[in-house]
């Protein structure tokens, strides 16, 4: 049971990898295509700027690897910036093309009275698809967000959970084997760990189905 | 709606929690990692470590504490104390901290805020401000060096500058209220919160549950930090959160 944590030079992967370990899975921080494609599940974390992240992914060839992992049917989870990268584009520092695995774009929070940017802190999840495997056995609660851009998915049925920050904000997305969490599950207490555990269980399932 | 945050603060010297710890149910109450994990289990929303080590060895030990903590807790944590260079920030963030607190060094060299924010993102940079009311000025003054030196800078000017330089949060300690247990400094907290567009963490003066309610409502704080009252179990985090919830405050 190995979970590849994609290392493409963006941010600290220590917390994510420790969280995976604490849940009893083997987390491998790696930029190696073979290890990523051979893993039972793939995590794409990330903090920082969208354009820089895509540049790093392209330079290392990992953009194609992540797309291939998504197409192979193995569970893939993008976290924070990693979720935004799954989409078609972002308007962060001009238009930037994303991985295009899910249709939609990341746009900046408008801010305004009482709504500071970045959206930072604990906010409450509202489950739109209670039957999603990610939400199995869980109750709505607070998780920890830090972001200045938010995703507008093109397909409303890709939305698994939202949070309210003056308007509904995309918090969890999912389609088939591809998932994204805008918040940091590894920093979101019990609920965050439970969400991560649910994702990792899918990887376990995919391992079993291999035979 | 963002939840109001409750933040226990641990003073750490040479890798040990040094003040005001009175936990009987811990194997080693002086172990910052174990104490942070306990607060995580109790529902604290964040942890702040204040490194008061005076030696290089002490600071190196702190890096180990950060690494272990990152593996043990599932909530964000900040490390402050004696950080004066971007390289210090990098080491601590790489060890697994989520945010860096800077205080005196930022006053002496405000470019540290902008450099850190550019390099690691504003969300990582917490500017800690120790403020004391100056009767002559009729407003608050910033103090540095652990509250020992008046800086001659007005606190309201300083928080504005910190924000414009890219600070992600202000950790605001009222030196007038600190240690009194008479409640947070509501006029100061409210003045700063109204002035800046970034979250404000109120610190100093917490003595009872209603003090937290007051600082979240009248004080307009986004988060509240305390040390001794939590360490000595005068207020427990779960009871505090339950009380605030029952009064209609948005709490995790």
């Amino acid at each position: 049971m190995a979970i590849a944590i994609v290392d493409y030079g963006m941010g600290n992967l220590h917390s994510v990898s420790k969280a995976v370990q604490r849940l009893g899975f083997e987390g491998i921080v790696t930029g190696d295509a073979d290890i990523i494609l051979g893993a039972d599940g793939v995590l794409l974390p990330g903090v920082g700027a969208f354009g820089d992240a895509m540049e790093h992914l392209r330079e290392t060839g990992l953009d194609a690897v992540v797309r291939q992992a998504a197409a192979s049917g193995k569970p893939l989870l993008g976290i924070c910036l990693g979720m935004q990268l799954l989409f078609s584009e972002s308007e962060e520092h001009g238009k930037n093309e994303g991985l295009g695995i899910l249709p939609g774009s990341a746009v900046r929070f408008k801010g305004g009275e009482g709504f500071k940017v970045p959206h930072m802190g604990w906010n409450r999840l509202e489950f739109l698809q209670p039957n999603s495997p990610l939400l199995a056995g869980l109750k709505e609660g607070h998780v920890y967000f830090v972001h200045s851009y938010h995703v507008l998915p093109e397909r409303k049925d890709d939305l698994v959970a939202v949070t309210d920050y003056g308007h509904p904000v995309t918090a969890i997305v999912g389609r088939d084997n591809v998932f994204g969490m805008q918040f940091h599950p590894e920093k979101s207490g019990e609920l965050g760990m439970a969400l991560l555990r649910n994702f990792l269980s899918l990887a376990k399932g995919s391992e079993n189905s291999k035979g | 709606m963002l939840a109001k945050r409750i933040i226990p603060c641990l003073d750490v010297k040479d890798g040990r929690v040094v003040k005001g710890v009175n936990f009987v149910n811990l194997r080693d109450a002086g172990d910052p990692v174990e104490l942070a994990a306990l607060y995580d289990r109790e529902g604290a929303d964040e942890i702040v470590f204040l490194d008061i080590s005076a030696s290089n060895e002490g600071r190196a030990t702190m890096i180990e504490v950060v690494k272990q903590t990152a593996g043990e807790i599932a909530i964000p944590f900040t490390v402050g104390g004696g950080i004066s260079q971007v390289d210090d920030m990098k080491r601590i963030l790489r060890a697994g901290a989520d945010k860096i607190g800077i205080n005196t060094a930022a006053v002496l060299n405000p470019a540290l805020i902008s450099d850190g924010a550019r390099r690691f993102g504003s969300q990582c940079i917490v500017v800690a401000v120790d403020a004391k009311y100056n009767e002559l000025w009729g407003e608050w003054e910033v103090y540095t060096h652990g509250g020992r030196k008046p800086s001659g800078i007005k606190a309201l000017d300083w928080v504005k500058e910190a924000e414009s330089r890219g600070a992600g949060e202000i950790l605001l300690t009222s030196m007038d209220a600190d240690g009194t247990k008479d409640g947070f400094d509501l006029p100061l907290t409210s003045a700063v919160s109204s002035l800046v567009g970034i979250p404000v963490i109120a610190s100093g003066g917490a003595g009872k549950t209603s003090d937290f309610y007051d600082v979240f409502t009248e004080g307009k704080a986004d988060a509240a930090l305390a040390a001794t009252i939590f360490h000595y179990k005068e207020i427990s985090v779960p009871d505090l959160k339950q009380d605030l919830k029952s009064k209609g405050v948005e709490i995790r």
Side-chain angles (χ1 to χ4, degrees), chain A residues 18 32 56 59 61 89 92 144 168 175 180 186 201-202 210:
Chain A
K18 282 285 183 183
D32 185 287
H56 282 258
E59 274 171 10
E89 60 177 21
E92 186 173 352
Y144 190 78
R175 171 161 296 250
E186 77 283 9
S201 309
L202 295 176
K210 278 193 302 199

Side-chain angles (χ1 to χ4, degrees), chain A residues 109-148:
Chain A
F109 277 111
K110 295 209 166 53
E113 196 55 41
F115 295 102
K116 298 168 175 179
V117 181
H119 171 221
M120 178 167 72
W122 295 86
N123 209 338
R124 195 179 174 78
L125 290 178
E126 184 193 334
F127 294 171
L128 300 185
Q129 293 187 39
N131 294 329
S132 164
L134 282 190
L135 306 183
L138 303 184
K139 278 196 271 192
E140 293 180 345
H142 290 83
V143 290
Y144 190 78
F145 290 87
V146 185
H147 60 131
S148 301

Side-chain angles (χ1 to χ4, degrees), chain B residues 39-60:
Chain B
Y39 281 127
D40 177 5
R41 287 197 297 277
E42 285 195 331
D45 298 303
E46 236 171 284
I47 303 284
V48 168
F49 286 127
L50 185 61
D51 184 9
I52 54 170
S53 304
S55 64
N56 288 335
E57 292 79 15
R59 298 203 179 285

Side-chain angles (χ1 to χ4, degrees), chain A residues 22 116 122-123 144 164 187 189, chain B residues 1 3 45 71 74 98 197 252:
Chain A
R22 280 172 67 198
K116 298 168 175 179
W122 295 86
N123 209 338
Y144 190 78
D164 179 29
K187 293 287 171 187
Chain B
M1 266 299 271
D45 298 303
D98 299 281
R252 171 169 78 108

Side-chain angles (χ1 to χ4, degrees), chain A residues 77-191:
Chain A
L77 173 66
I79 296 175
C80 196
L81 176 65
M83 174 185 102
Q84 300 188 1
L85 295 171
L86 299 176
F87 284 84
S88 329
E89 60 177 21
S90 168
E91 64 171 32
E92 186 173 352
H93 306 304
K95 276 247 186 289
N96 276 293
E97 208 176 301
L99 291 168
I101 296 167
L102 298 171
S105 54
V107 299
R108 193 173 164 83
F109 277 111
K110 295 209 166 53
E113 196 55 41
F115 295 102
K116 298 168 175 179
V117 181
H119 171 221
M120 178 167 72
W122 295 86
N123 209 338
R124 195 179 174 78
L125 290 178
E126 184 193 334
F127 294 171
L128 300 185
Q129 293 187 39
N131 294 329
S132 164
L134 282 190
L135 306 183
L138 303 184
K139 278 196 271 192
E140 293 180 345
H142 290 83
V143 290
Y144 190 78
F145 290 87
V146 185
H147 60 131
S148 301
Y149 290 76
H150 64 102
V151 165
L152 301 172
E154 230 163 70
R155 298 179 299 220
K156 292 296 158 235
D157 59 345
D158 285 353
L159 271 176
V160 173
V162 292
T163 192
D164 179 29
Y165 199 54
H167 53 82
V169 173
T170 302
I172 304 179
V173 294
R175 171 161 296 250
D176 304 325
N177 58 313
V178 177
F179 302 93
M181 298 181 190
Q182 177 61 65
F183 50 91
H184 286 272
E186 77 283 9
K187 293 287 171 187
S188 294
E190 266 176 45
L191 178 55

